Amino acid sequence: DSVQNNMGPDGYSKKFVSDARKFDSGGKKNPVTMPMVRAGLELAKRVDTRSAQNELKRLCIPLVTWAVRKGFSVATEYRSYHLIGLRPPVDLLSPNEMLEVCSVLEQEQIFIAVRCGAFRISPYLDTTPFEIQCLIEALDRQIFAEGKIGRD
């Protein structure tokens, strides 16, 4: 396992633990979280995944459309919509600038991540169209507004 399982702009750390901790997959029993995990799994079993994906697709089409229009690389065919990767053009944002965008958005209570050179968007089943629109506006403001992070 990687030390602390943290990810940066270049992916997971290359430094691995060398002792018996490498066999710990984090599966420690906990009397508080185990019932929560069980309840969550029971809830997940009841989700109709086809309907959920259709709803997430409907919800995220404006985000994908905006991203493509702005020059981001986005998988549009044969995809699932619970994870969306928005890869900016090479000359637009450095990995550190992408992390800075995430930090600024976090201050607005918008939480996205950077994974291997792309913004990772993970909408929930209860994400609203308004929240997607807020994300689009925040990304647009932080990346493309004059004097902001992104380069022209």
Side-chain angles (χ1 to χ4, degrees), residues 8-19:
D10 298 321
Y12 285 110
S13 167
K14 301 287 188 251
K15 183 179 177 186
F16 294 94
V17 294
S18 59
D19 56 14

Side-chain angles (χ1 to χ4, degrees), residues 9-34:
D10 298 321
Y12 285 110
S13 167
K14 301 287 188 251
K15 183 179 177 186
F16 294 94
V17 294
S18 59
D19 56 14
R21 289 178 296 159
K22 66 184 172 189
F23 301 111
D24 177 11
S25 63
K28 297 173 181 67
K29 292 183 179 180
N30 184 308
V32 174
T33 58
M34 291 305 284

Side-chain angles (χ1 to χ4, degrees), residues 64 67-68 70-76 79 84-89 117-119:
V64 171
V68 169
K70 292 291 190 171
F72 285 80
S73 172
V74 184
T76 56
R79 63 157 309 117
I84 299 172
L86 306 180
R87 188 172 305 280
F119 289 112

Side-chain angles (χ1 to χ4, degrees), residues 58-122:
R58 184 194 62 75
L59 181 71
C60 291
I61 288 296
L63 173 64
V64 171
T65 301
W66 170 86
V68 169
R69 192 174 67 244
K70 292 291 190 171
F72 285 80
S73 172
V74 184
T76 56
E77 293 188 36
Y78 308 109
R79 63 157 309 117
S80 296
Y81 282 85
H82 63 281
L83 285 176
I84 299 172
L86 306 180
R87 188 172 305 280
V90 175
D91 60 344
L92 181 63
L93 294 168
S94 71
N96 286 334
E97 289 170 327
M98 293 177 73
L99 291 171
E100 185 179 339
V101 169
C102 291
S103 293
V104 171
L105 267 57
E106 189 174 320
Q107 294 170 13
E108 298 182 38
Q109 299 299 297
I110 298 172
F111 300 94
I112 63 174
V114 174
R115 296 291 186 268
C116 301
F119 289 112
R120 190 190 90 199
I121 316 294
S122 306

